[in-house]
Amino acid sequence: MPVNLPTLLTWARIVMIPLVLGVFYLPEHWLAPLWQNVAGALIFTLAAITDWFDGYLARKWNQTSAFGAFLDPVADKLMVAAALILLVQLGRADAWLAAIIIGREITISALREWMAQLGASKGVAVSFIGKVKTAAQMVAIVVLLLHVDFIPGIDLAWIGSCCLFVAALLTLWSMGYYLRMAWPELTGRK
């Protein structure tokens, strides 16, 4: 395992997962619900920023590695899945939306692994739609974790729910894109 700043940032993202979850289980006399929301959203935001930053640094400093390429998407999937499950438990997200997003992540991860074994991983490389999907997911999760209306008349819970719905639609769209790209390998036709 290479030890460099990009890889350490990826590990830090994994370590932040139980921190995001943990703040919502602290007793109210330790941390009031408002501050649980704020702390959870801030920790998740920091983790999301490290997702962008570790990849940027790895490319800029030429510190990319097979291990980093493996660990980064695993950290992303764990972070999103854990946050979505928490949001469903808190009653802030619909289970069916979380199931679509988590199911897609598992499906595409398995597809990428299978394509890599065939030596065809370029066929399922990250696309622009995948990046837009990720951005929509991150915004939705942060807003739903925050669950606080800062501006009178603006319902952040509704905005977060709409963003999550858009993220689920983009999730299905990007899954269709990846499956279409892999279709020749899936069917044995090139």
Side-chain angles (χ1 to χ4, degrees):
M1 174 184 83
V3 178
N4 54 40
L5 184 57
T7 303
L8 291 174
L9 287 172
T10 304
W11 280 114
R13 189 160 67 253
I14 292 170
V15 168
M16 284 187 245
I17 295 167
L19 296 178
V20 170
L21 301 177
V23 298
F24 289 95
Y25 292 98
L26 291 174
E28 280 190 35
H29 64 275
W30 284 17
L31 195 61
L34 168 67
W35 295 110
Q36 289 175 337
N37 294 339
V38 170
L42 285 175
I43 297 167
F44 187 88
T45 300
L46 180 61
I49 290 168
T50 68
D51 179 26
W52 174 83
F53 205 52
D54 64 4
Y56 171 78
L57 290 178
R59 288 184 297 278
K60 181 176 171 123
W61 294 344
N62 197 28
Q63 293 182 340
T64 58
S65 67
F67 181 76
F70 157 76
L71 188 63
D72 183 67
V74 169
D76 298 344
K77 272 65 171 158
L78 288 172
M79 185 175 78
V80 167
L84 287 172
I85 291 167
L86 175 67
L87 289 169
V88 168
Q89 182 183 9
L90 294 172
R92 299 179 190 178
D94 290 327
W96 67 275
L97 291 174
I100 287 172
I101 293 169
I102 294 169
R104 179 266 187 204
E105 299 299 346
I106 293 168
T107 302
I108 297 305
S109 294
L111 179 65
R112 283 193 176 126
E113 178 66 26
W114 182 67
M115 294 289 284
Q117 288 177 2
L118 296 177
S121 58
K122 296 249 189 266
V124 285
V126 175
S127 69
F128 177 73
I129 189 65
K131 292 180 184 214
V132 173
K133 178 266 313 172
T134 299
Q137 276 179 185
M138 297 304 176
V139 168
I141 291 169
V142 168
V143 170
L144 291 170
L145 285 173
L146 190 55
H147 202 65
V148 176
D149 290 332
F150 288 110
I151 303 169
I154 296 180
D155 185 355
L156 279 184
W158 181 81
I159 292 170
S161 294
C162 289
C163 287
L164 192 61
F165 182 78
V166 168
L169 288 177
L170 291 171
T171 291
L172 292 172
W173 184 6
S174 68
M175 184 170 79
Y177 170 81
Y178 290 124
L179 290 171
R180 187 169 43 89
M181 297 304 292
W183 192 252
E185 294 293 337
L186 291 169
T187 60
R189 289 182 275 157
K190 293 187 181 188

